[in-house]
Amino acid sequence: MIDAYSWPTPNGHKIHIMLEECGLPYRAIGVDIGAGDQFKPEFLAISPNNKIPAIVDADGPDGKPISLFESGAILVYLAGKTGKFLGETDREKYNALQWLMFQVGGFGPMLGQAHHFRIYAPKKIDYAFDRYTNEAKRLYSVIETQLSQTPYLAGNSYSIADIAVYPWARSADNQGIDWADYPHAKRWFDTISKRPAVQRGVKVLSDLRKPLNDAKAKDVLFGKTQYSKK
């Protein structure tokens, strides 16, 4: 059994989808990031960066429990554990890994900034609004170009790269993206949306999520609580 400490956000959905796709038994444990659960000592013990998701696998590589944080590392671990979604050859593996790094290094962080300055910032800052909206469009152009040549990000096969990028693309409207400008990416998005495991994954913990419209939750996520020394 794998304990998945998570929340229904794009980074959380990556792990929910991967666990569903791999058919691994798991227990989803909600970490309410708006309430500050990510700062509890028991969570920091497995996720020192106070971010979701994190997992504890009772059956680690040496038969002993292992805990992991960072969604990209967890995806690679689960792919290695099951032999799924990371290609069959070294070339396919490294191709998938480079697109995974594209997501964890750019497509996630930059789109997260777009979300923040377009939706959550207490006042509109034109420079930040434009900067991150334009960067979102640039990043979508990157995957559009790739997906005009291959059905999936890493080639002909669905991989952890697609699993990593897809949840962020579910919020394209919030990022200032018009899907009509990215037809190949939209084809890819629609294809993945039809996968039963993906449909199950994005529902995990979804009934617990609440809109971030109160001052306490915003302080926890964006204010002094987030940056106080732990």
Side-chain angles (χ1 to χ4, degrees), residues 138-176:
R138 187 191 72 80
L139 290 165
Y140 274 86
S141 293
V142 173
I143 65 169
E144 172 69 10
T145 298
Q146 176 66 7
L147 293 167
S148 71
Q149 304 168 48
T150 59
Y152 297 100
L153 285 169
N156 293 324
S157 299
Y158 177 69
S159 74
I160 57 174
D162 303 292
I163 292 171
V165 170
Y166 171 81
W168 284 96
R170 294 180 72 232
S171 300
D173 288 348
N174 290 341
Q175 300 150 10

mmCIF file of all heavy atoms in Angstrom, residues 138-176:
data_model
loop_
_atom_site.group_PDB
_atom_site.id
_atom_site.type_symbol
_atom_site.label_atom_id
_atom_site.label_comp_id
_atom_site.label_asym_id
_atom_site.label_seq_id
_atom_site.Cartn_x
_atom_site.Cartn_y
_atom_site.Cartn_z
ATOM 1 N N ARG A 138 4.077 31.139 -24.577
ATOM 2 C CA ARG A 138 5.311 30.592 -25.151
ATOM 3 C C ARG A 138 5.438 29.100 -24.845
ATOM 4 O O ARG A 138 5.783 28.290 -25.720
ATOM 5 C CB ARG A 138 6.525 31.337 -24.602
ATOM 6 C CG ARG A 138 7.835 30.946 -25.289
ATOM 7 C CD ARG A 138 9.045 31.489 -24.544
ATOM 8 N NE ARG A 138 9.282 30.784 -23.293
ATOM 9 C CZ ARG A 138 9.894 29.600 -23.216
ATOM 10 N NH1 ARG A 138 10.316 28.980 -24.322
ATOM 11 N NH2 ARG A 138 10.074 29.022 -22.044
ATOM 12 N N LEU A 139 5.149 28.725 -23.606
ATOM 13 C CA LEU A 139 5.262 27.323 -23.212
ATOM 14 C C LEU A 139 4.255 26.446 -23.951
ATOM 15 O O LEU A 139 4.586 25.326 -24.359
ATOM 16 C CB LEU A 139 5.082 27.195 -21.701
ATOM 17 C CG LEU A 139 6.230 27.768 -20.863
ATOM 18 C CD1 LEU A 139 5.803 27.935 -19.414
ATOM 19 C CD2 LEU A 139 7.469 26.899 -20.969
ATOM 20 N N TYR A 140 3.054 26.948 -24.134
ATOM 21 C CA TYR A 140 2.074 26.189 -24.918
ATOM 22 C C TYR A 140 2.523 26.074 -26.371
ATOM 23 O O TYR A 140 2.255 25.070 -27.043
ATOM 24 C CB TYR A 140 0.687 26.823 -24.824
ATOM 25 C CG TYR A 140 -0.104 26.362 -23.622
ATOM 26 C CD1 TYR A 140 0.043 26.986 -22.391
ATOM 27 C CD2 TYR A 140 -0.987 25.296 -23.715
ATOM 28 C CE1 TYR A 140 -0.670 26.566 -21.278
ATOM 29 C CE2 TYR A 140 -1.715 24.869 -22.604
ATOM 30 C CZ TYR A 140 -1.551 25.496 -21.390
ATOM 31 O OH TYR A 140 -2.260 25.071 -20.281
ATOM 32 N N SER A 141 3.215 27.083 -26.871
ATOM 33 C CA SER A 141 3.743 27.002 -28.237
ATOM 34 C C SER A 141 4.802 25.909 -28.357
ATOM 35 O O SER A 141 4.916 25.246 -29.388
ATOM 36 C CB SER A 141 4.336 28.344 -28.651
ATOM 37 O OG SER A 141 3.332 29.333 -28.768
ATOM 38 N N VAL A 142 5.568 25.715 -27.291
ATOM 39 C CA VAL A 142 6.576 24.653 -27.287
ATOM 40 C C VAL A 142 5.912 23.287 -27.412
ATOM 41 O O VAL A 142 6.322 22.457 -28.232
ATOM 42 C CB VAL A 142 7.439 24.724 -26.015
ATOM 43 C CG1 VAL A 142 8.370 23.506 -25.925
ATOM 44 C CG2 VAL A 142 8.259 26.006 -25.991
ATOM 45 N N ILE A 143 4.881 23.033 -26.598
ATOM 46 C CA ILE A 143 4.239 21.725 -26.706
ATOM 47 C C ILE A 143 3.424 21.611 -27.995
ATOM 48 O O ILE A 143 3.285 20.521 -28.543
ATOM 49 C CB ILE A 143 3.388 21.379 -25.464
ATOM 50 C CG1 ILE A 143 2.197 22.309 -25.297
ATOM 51 C CG2 ILE A 143 4.247 21.383 -24.200
ATOM 52 C CD1 ILE A 143 1.208 21.813 -24.232
ATOM 53 N N GLU A 144 2.909 22.735 -28.481
ATOM 54 C CA GLU A 144 2.183 22.707 -29.762
ATOM 55 C C GLU A 144 3.105 22.245 -30.890
ATOM 56 O O GLU A 144 2.720 21.390 -31.711
ATOM 57 C CB GLU A 144 1.617 24.094 -30.071
ATOM 58 C CG GLU A 144 1.000 24.256 -31.450
ATOM 59 C CD GLU A 144 -0.300 23.490 -31.638
ATOM 60 O OE1 GLU A 144 -0.857 22.968 -30.641
ATOM 61 O OE2 GLU A 144 -0.766 23.408 -32.798
ATOM 62 N N THR A 145 4.312 22.782 -30.928
ATOM 63 C CA THR A 145 5.267 22.390 -31.960
ATOM 64 C C THR A 145 5.609 20.905 -31.843
ATOM 65 O O THR A 145 5.626 20.175 -32.840
ATOM 66 C CB THR A 145 6.547 23.229 -31.858
ATOM 67 O OG1 THR A 145 6.216 24.603 -32.079
ATOM 68 C CG2 THR A 145 7.571 22.790 -32.895
ATOM 69 N N GLN A 146 5.878 20.464 -30.613
ATOM 70 C CA GLN A 146 6.207 19.057 -30.410
ATOM 71 C C GLN A 146 5.048 18.151 -30.815
ATOM 72 O O GLN A 146 5.231 17.121 -31.488
ATOM 73 C CB GLN A 146 6.584 18.818 -28.948
ATOM 74 C CG GLN A 146 6.858 17.364 -28.588
ATOM 75 C CD GLN A 146 8.091 16.796 -29.263
ATOM 76 O OE1 GLN A 146 8.837 17.518 -29.921
ATOM 77 N NE2 GLN A 146 8.309 15.494 -29.112
ATOM 78 N N LEU A 147 3.847 18.516 -30.414
ATOM 79 C CA LEU A 147 2.687 17.664 -30.664
ATOM 80 C C LEU A 147 2.185 17.756 -32.103
ATOM 81 O O LEU A 147 1.321 16.980 -32.507
ATOM 82 C CB LEU A 147 1.574 18.013 -29.669
ATOM 83 C CG LEU A 147 1.927 17.645 -28.218
ATOM 84 C CD1 LEU A 147 0.947 18.300 -27.244
ATOM 85 C CD2 LEU A 147 1.942 16.134 -28.031
ATOM 86 N N SER A 148 2.730 18.667 -32.871
ATOM 87 C CA SER A 148 2.442 18.673 -34.309
ATOM 88 C C SER A 148 3.236 17.583 -35.023
ATOM 89 O O SER A 148 2.942 17.248 -36.175
ATOM 90 C CB SER A 148 2.778 20.045 -34.918
ATOM 91 O OG SER A 148 4.183 20.254 -34.973
ATOM 92 N N GLN A 149 4.231 17.018 -34.325
ATOM 93 C CA GLN A 149 5.102 16.006 -34.908
ATOM 94 C C GLN A 149 4.898 14.618 -34.310
ATOM 95 O O GLN A 149 5.192 13.605 -34.964
ATOM 96 C CB GLN A 149 6.563 16.412 -34.709
ATOM 97 C CG GLN A 149 6.910 17.791 -35.259
ATOM 98 C CD GLN A 149 8.263 18.268 -34.793
ATOM 99 O OE1 GLN A 149 9.250 17.541 -34.860
ATOM 100 N NE2 GLN A 149 8.337 19.489 -34.308
ATOM 101 N N THR A 150 4.422 14.556 -33.080
ATOM 102 C CA THR A 150 4.246 13.277 -32.396
ATOM 103 C C THR A 150 2.912 13.275 -31.658
ATOM 104 O O THR A 150 2.424 14.327 -31.235
ATOM 105 C CB THR A 150 5.383 13.039 -31.381
ATOM 106 O OG1 THR A 150 5.387 14.118 -30.427
ATOM 107 C CG2 THR A 150 6.737 12.962 -32.072
ATOM 108 N N PRO A 151 2.313 12.092 -31.463
ATOM 109 C CA PRO A 151 1.023 12.050 -30.767
ATOM 110 C C PRO A 151 1.120 12.382 -29.284
ATOM 111 O O PRO A 151 0.168 12.898 -28.690
ATOM 112 C CB PRO A 151 0.546 10.613 -30.987
ATOM 113 C CG PRO A 151 1.773 9.825 -31.314
ATOM 114 C CD PRO A 151 2.684 10.772 -32.021
ATOM 115 N N TYR A 152 2.278 12.081 -28.690
ATOM 116 C CA TYR A 152 2.495 12.377 -27.275
ATOM 117 C C TYR A 152 3.785 13.172 -27.130
ATOM 118 O O TYR A 152 4.590 13.243 -28.059
ATOM 119 C CB TYR A 152 2.550 11.086 -26.450
ATOM 120 C CG TYR A 152 1.253 10.308 -26.486
ATOM 121 C CD1 TYR A 152 1.106 9.209 -27.320
ATOM 122 C CD2 TYR A 152 0.173 10.692 -25.700
ATOM 123 C CE1 TYR A 152 -0.090 8.504 -27.371
ATOM 124 C CE2 TYR A 152 -1.029 9.994 -25.737
ATOM 125 C CZ TYR A 152 -1.151 8.910 -26.579
ATOM 126 O OH TYR A 152 -2.348 8.230 -26.634
ATOM 127 N N LEU A 153 4.000 13.744 -25.968
ATOM 128 C CA LEU A 153 5.133 14.649 -25.802
ATOM 129 C C LEU A 153 6.483 13.976 -26.048
ATOM 130 O O LEU A 153 7.380 14.591 -26.614
ATOM 131 C CB LEU A 153 5.106 15.271 -24.408
ATOM 132 C CG LEU A 153 4.049 16.366 -24.215
ATOM 133 C CD1 LEU A 153 3.918 16.730 -22.753
ATOM 134 C CD2 LEU A 153 4.396 17.590 -25.050
ATOM 135 N N ALA A 154 6.606 12.722 -25.637
ATOM 136 C CA ALA A 154 7.881 12.034 -25.790
ATOM 137 C C ALA A 154 7.909 11.100 -26.988
ATOM 138 O O ALA A 154 8.804 10.274 -27.104
ATOM 139 C CB ALA A 154 8.225 11.262 -24.519
ATOM 140 N N GLY A 155 6.938 11.238 -27.891
ATOM 141 C CA GLY A 155 6.946 10.400 -29.091
ATOM 142 C C GLY A 155 5.626 9.703 -29.322
ATOM 143 O O GLY A 155 4.554 10.294 -29.162
ATOM 144 N N ASN A 156 5.708 8.430 -29.637
ATOM 145 C CA ASN A 156 4.508 7.675 -30.001
ATOM 146 C C ASN A 156 3.783 7.069 -28.812
ATOM 147 O O ASN A 156 2.683 6.552 -28.973
ATOM 148 C CB ASN A 156 4.879 6.554 -30.989
ATOM 149 C CG ASN A 156 5.335 7.102 -32.337
ATOM 150 O OD1 ASN A 156 4.806 8.116 -32.811
ATOM 151 N ND2 ASN A 156 6.317 6.454 -32.938
ATOM 152 N N SER A 157 4.407 7.103 -27.644
ATOM 153 C CA SER A 157 3.828 6.445 -26.474
ATOM 154 C C SER A 157 3.521 7.435 -25.354
ATOM 155 O O SER A 157 4.291 8.368 -25.098
ATOM 156 C CB SER A 157 4.789 5.368 -25.944
ATOM 157 O OG SER A 157 5.030 4.376 -26.918
ATOM 158 N N TYR A 158 2.415 7.205 -24.711
ATOM 159 C CA TYR A 158 2.001 7.948 -23.517
ATOM 160 C C TYR A 158 3.017 7.693 -22.406
ATOM 161 O O TYR A 158 3.429 6.557 -22.182
ATOM 162 C CB TYR A 158 0.625 7.435 -23.126
ATOM 163 C CG TYR A 158 -0.019 7.983 -21.885
ATOM 164 C CD1 TYR A 158 -0.458 9.295 -21.809
ATOM 165 C CD2 TYR A 158 -0.273 7.145 -20.795
ATOM 166 C CE1 TYR A 158 -1.109 9.773 -20.683
ATOM 167 C CE2 TYR A 158 -0.929 7.601 -19.671
ATOM 168 C CZ TYR A 158 -1.342 8.917 -19.614
ATOM 169 O OH TYR A 158 -1.996 9.372 -18.502
ATOM 170 N N SER A 159 3.439 8.757 -21.721
ATOM 171 C CA SER A 159 4.493 8.602 -20.718
ATOM 172 C C SER A 159 4.254 9.515 -19.523
ATOM 173 O O SER A 159 3.288 10.295 -19.477
ATOM 174 C CB SER A 159 5.853 8.926 -21.334
ATOM 175 O OG SER A 159 5.991 10.336 -21.525
ATOM 176 N N ILE A 160 5.192 9.431 -18.559
ATOM 177 C CA ILE A 160 5.094 10.305 -17.392
ATOM 178 C C ILE A 160 5.207 11.776 -17.777
ATOM 179 O O ILE A 160 4.758 12.646 -17.023
ATOM 180 C CB ILE A 160 6.143 9.950 -16.323
ATOM 181 C CG1 ILE A 160 7.571 10.014 -16.877
ATOM 182 C CG2 ILE A 160 5.851 8.592 -15.711
ATOM 183 C CD1 ILE A 160 8.644 9.817 -15.815
ATOM 184 N N ALA A 161 5.753 12.071 -18.947
ATOM 185 C CA ALA A 161 5.799 13.464 -19.399
ATOM 186 C C ALA A 161 4.385 13.988 -19.634
ATOM 187 O O ALA A 161 4.045 15.113 -19.229
ATOM 188 C CB ALA A 161 6.627 13.575 -20.675
ATOM 189 N N ASP A 162 3.558 13.194 -20.275
ATOM 190 C CA ASP A 162 2.165 13.596 -20.510
ATOM 191 C C ASP A 162 1.405 13.689 -19.189
ATOM 192 O O ASP A 162 0.612 14.614 -18.988
ATOM 193 C CB ASP A 162 1.483 12.574 -21.428
ATOM 194 C CG ASP A 162 2.205 12.405 -22.744
ATOM 195 O OD1 ASP A 162 2.205 13.345 -23.552
ATOM 196 O OD2 ASP A 162 2.796 11.322 -22.963
ATOM 197 N N ILE A 163 1.664 12.732 -18.300
ATOM 198 C CA ILE A 163 0.993 12.736 -17.001
ATOM 199 C C ILE A 163 1.363 13.986 -16.202
ATOM 200 O O ILE A 163 0.529 14.533 -15.477
ATOM 201 C CB ILE A 163 1.355 11.452 -16.224
ATOM 202 C CG1 ILE A 163 0.732 10.230 -16.917
ATOM 203 C CG2 ILE A 163 0.891 11.528 -14.773
ATOM 204 C CD1 ILE A 163 1.195 8.885 -16.373
ATOM 205 N N ALA A 164 2.594 14.457 -16.362
ATOM 206 C CA ALA A 164 3.039 15.651 -15.632
ATOM 207 C C ALA A 164 2.454 16.934 -16.202
ATOM 208 O O ALA A 164 2.061 17.839 -15.460
ATOM 209 C CB ALA A 164 4.561 15.717 -15.634
ATOM 210 N N VAL A 165 2.404 17.043 -17.519
ATOM 211 C CA VAL A 165 1.958 18.284 -18.159
ATOM 212 C C VAL A 165 0.441 18.424 -18.134
ATOM 213 O O VAL A 165 -0.099 19.529 -17.923
ATOM 214 C CB VAL A 165 2.487 18.350 -19.612
ATOM 215 C CG1 VAL A 165 1.845 19.502 -20.383
ATOM 216 C CG2 VAL A 165 4.003 18.497 -19.618
ATOM 217 N N TYR A 166 -0.259 17.330 -18.334
ATOM 218 C CA TYR A 166 -1.717 17.382 -18.504
ATOM 219 C C TYR A 166 -2.452 18.135 -17.387
ATOM 220 O O TYR A 166 -3.308 18.989 -17.682
ATOM 221 C CB TYR A 166 -2.279 15.962 -18.650
ATOM 222 C CG TYR A 166 -3.782 15.918 -18.624
ATOM 223 C CD1 TYR A 166 -4.532 16.224 -19.766
ATOM 224 C CD2 TYR A 166 -4.467 15.596 -17.452
ATOM 225 C CE1 TYR A 166 -5.922 16.206 -19.730
ATOM 226 C CE2 TYR A 166 -5.848 15.572 -17.410
ATOM 227 C CZ TYR A 166 -6.580 15.883 -18.548
ATOM 228 O OH TYR A 166 -7.945 15.869 -18.512
ATOM 229 N N PRO A 167 -2.201 17.854 -16.097
ATOM 230 C CA PRO A 167 -3.001 18.543 -15.074
ATOM 231 C C PRO A 167 -2.889 20.057 -15.111
ATOM 232 O O PRO A 167 -3.855 20.773 -14.778
ATOM 233 C CB PRO A 167 -2.439 17.961 -13.761
ATOM 234 C CG PRO A 167 -1.880 16.642 -14.144
ATOM 235 C CD PRO A 167 -1.294 16.867 -15.504
ATOM 236 N N TRP A 168 -1.725 20.565 -15.506
ATOM 237 C CA TRP A 168 -1.579 22.019 -15.613
ATOM 238 C C TRP A 168 -2.379 22.573 -16.786
ATOM 239 O O TRP A 168 -2.908 23.688 -16.720
ATOM 240 C CB TRP A 168 -0.103 22.383 -15.752
ATOM 241 C CG TRP A 168 0.614 22.276 -14.455
ATOM 242 C CD1 TRP A 168 1.352 21.204 -14.004
ATOM 243 C CD2 TRP A 168 0.635 23.238 -13.407
ATOM 244 N NE1 TRP A 168 1.827 21.454 -12.745
ATOM 245 C CE2 TRP A 168 1.408 22.702 -12.348
ATOM 246 C CE3 TRP A 168 0.085 24.510 -13.260
ATOM 247 C CZ2 TRP A 168 1.638 23.395 -11.164
ATOM 248 C CZ3 TRP A 168 0.318 25.195 -12.085
ATOM 249 C CH2 TRP A 168 1.078 24.646 -11.053
ATOM 250 N N ALA A 169 -2.508 21.791 -17.833
ATOM 251 C CA ALA A 169 -3.260 22.242 -19.006
ATOM 252 C C ALA A 169 -4.764 22.254 -18.758
ATOM 253 O O ALA A 169 -5.505 22.867 -19.530
ATOM 254 C CB ALA A 169 -2.934 21.350 -20.208
ATOM 255 N N ARG A 170 -5.212 21.632 -17.695
ATOM 256 C CA ARG A 170 -6.641 21.668 -17.358
ATOM 257 C C ARG A 170 -7.090 23.072 -16.964
ATOM 258 O O ARG A 170 -8.287 23.375 -16.962
ATOM 259 C CB ARG A 170 -6.949 20.698 -16.218
ATOM 260 C CG ARG A 170 -6.746 19.231 -16.582
ATOM 261 C CD ARG A 170 -7.054 18.306 -15.409
ATOM 262 N NE ARG A 170 -8.483 18.250 -15.143
ATOM 263 C CZ ARG A 170 -9.037 18.451 -13.947
ATOM 264 N NH1 ARG A 170 -8.270 18.775 -12.909
ATOM 265 N NH2 ARG A 170 -10.337 18.374 -13.779
ATOM 266 N N SER A 171 -6.132 23.931 -16.636
ATOM 267 C CA SER A 171 -6.461 25.306 -16.234
ATOM 268 C C SER A 171 -6.038 26.317 -17.288
ATOM 269 O O SER A 171 -5.702 27.454 -16.973
ATOM 270 C CB SER A 171 -5.781 25.631 -14.897
ATOM 271 O OG SER A 171 -6.207 24.763 -13.882
ATOM 272 N N ALA A 172 -6.065 25.910 -18.535
ATOM 273 C CA ALA A 172 -5.595 26.778 -19.617
ATOM 274 C C ALA A 172 -6.311 28.128 -19.635
ATOM 275 O O ALA A 172 -5.674 29.166 -19.865
ATOM 276 C CB ALA A 172 -5.763 26.070 -20.962
ATOM 277 N N ASP A 173 -7.598 28.144 -19.385
ATOM 278 C CA ASP A 173 -8.341 29.409 -19.390
ATOM 279 C C ASP A 173 -7.778 30.383 -18.361
ATOM 280 O O ASP A 173 -7.660 31.588 -18.633
ATOM 281 C CB ASP A 173 -9.821 29.160 -19.100
ATOM 282 C CG ASP A 173 -10.543 28.503 -20.270
ATOM 283 O OD1 ASP A 173 -9.964 28.450 -21.369
ATOM 284 O OD2 ASP A 173 -11.680 28.022 -20.068
ATOM 285 N N ASN A 174 -7.434 29.875 -17.181
ATOM 286 C CA ASN A 174 -6.893 30.735 -16.127
ATOM 287 C C ASN A 174 -5.523 31.285 -16.484
ATOM 288 O O ASN A 174 -5.061 32.264 -15.881
ATOM 289 C CB ASN A 174 -6.796 29.965 -14.814
ATOM 290 C CG ASN A 174 -8.149 29.659 -14.213
ATOM 291 O OD1 ASN A 174 -9.148 30.289 -14.556
ATOM 292 N ND2 ASN A 174 -8.202 28.686 -13.324
ATOM 293 N N GLN A 175 -4.858 30.653 -17.432
ATOM 294 C CA GLN A 175 -3.518 31.069 -17.841
ATOM 295 C C GLN A 175 -3.547 32.009 -19.043
ATOM 296 O O GLN A 175 -2.494 32.407 -19.546
ATOM 297 C CB GLN A 175 -2.691 29.820 -18.167
ATOM 298 C CG GLN A 175 -2.546 28.881 -16.985
ATOM 299 C CD GLN A 175 -2.419 27.421 -17.382
ATOM 300 O OE1 GLN A 175 -2.258 27.099 -18.564
ATOM 301 N NE2 GLN A 175 -2.499 26.530 -16.415
ATOM 302 N N GLY A 176 -4.737 32.352 -19.518
ATOM 303 C CA GLY A 176 -4.864 33.246 -20.666
ATOM 304 C C GLY A 176 -4.704 32.541 -21.989
ATOM 305 O O GLY A 176 -4.393 33.178 -23.007
#
